[in-house]
Amino acid sequence: MARAPAAKPAAPSEAPADGSVGRDDVGFLLAKATQRWNELLASRFAAAGYADLRPSYGSILLPLYEEDGLRIGELARRARLSKQTLTDLVRRLERDGLVERRPDPSDARASLIYLTPRSRRFEPVAAATLADLNRLVGTRLSRRRLGELKTALRLLMDLE
């Protein structure tokens, strides 16, 4: 008995014919690419002995690796997070021994967020992991396309 040929799947750039949303939606693709990126980060962190470090911690750690000792408001701006979200995340990083709050010497009401020795030990692991993943991306995208992707992502970060 002969089998009927399978229906040809829609090309990735085509929207569903009925106008419904589908897996080619930009938001879906961004979310799934981010999900995969975070899975790769988590597995590499675990292999390096940092299984408890969540990829989301990068929102706090990366700005602090650039400049340690930031106020919550400035850290929130650089992390592109609300102060409330950032405060919750900082509490988690404090719990995990990655950051500590210290009084701001110029304003007794404010505190500064500093990296701990543990997060300093993690910095080369994060750098090597990101370099490895960027090389992996480079096997899929040309240098020009990678540059275009970064530019497009920066534009999308400022979408209103």
Side-chain angles (χ1 to χ4, degrees), residues 50-57 61 88-100 116-122:
Y50 291 91
D52 62 321
L53 266 75
R54 299 174 184 196
S56 62
Y57 290 1
L61 293 175
D88 291 342
L89 195 52
V90 165
R91 281 188 190 120
R92 285 189 221 139
L93 273 82
E94 283 180 300
R95 177 198 67 205
D96 291 346
L98 297 165
V99 299
E100 62 184 15
T116 63
R118 181 170 190 244
S119 57
R120 287 285 179 203
R121 287 190 304 273
F122 175 69

Side-chain angles (χ1 to χ4, degrees), residues 8-31:
K8 181 182 171 191
S13 62
E14 296 175 14
D18 63 1
S20 64
V21 296
R23 289 176 290 146
D24 196 45
D25 173 76
V26 171
F28 181 84
L29 294 170
L30 284 169

Side-chain angles (χ1 to χ4, degrees), residues 143-158:
R143 182 175 289 171
R144 182 181 64 73
R145 288 185 73 195
L146 179 57
E148 290 170 350
L149 174 62
K150 287 180 179 182
T151 298
L153 291 172
R154 285 186 196 104
L155 290 170
L156 292 177
M157 285 180 6
D158 292 325

Side-chain angles (χ1 to χ4, degrees), residues 78-138:
R78 293 183 189 193
R80 301 179 70 97
L81 296 170
S82 71
K83 282 185 183 180
Q84 181 179 354
T85 299
L86 186 117
T87 300
D88 291 342
L89 195 52
V90 165
R91 281 188 190 120
R92 285 189 221 139
L93 273 82
E94 283 180 300
R95 177 198 67 205
D96 291 346
L98 297 165
V99 299
E100 62 184 15
R101 293 176 204 242
R102 296 183 199 159
D104 185 338
S106 65
D107 183 351
R109 298 167 297 163
S111 59
L112 302 174
I113 308 302
Y114 284 90
L115 297 165
T116 63
R118 181 170 190 244
S119 57
R120 287 285 179 203
R121 287 190 304 273
F122 175 69
E123 186 174 5
V125 172
T129 299
L130 291 171
D132 182 46
L133 291 179
N134 282 318
R135 277 190 296 278
L136 183 60
V137 170

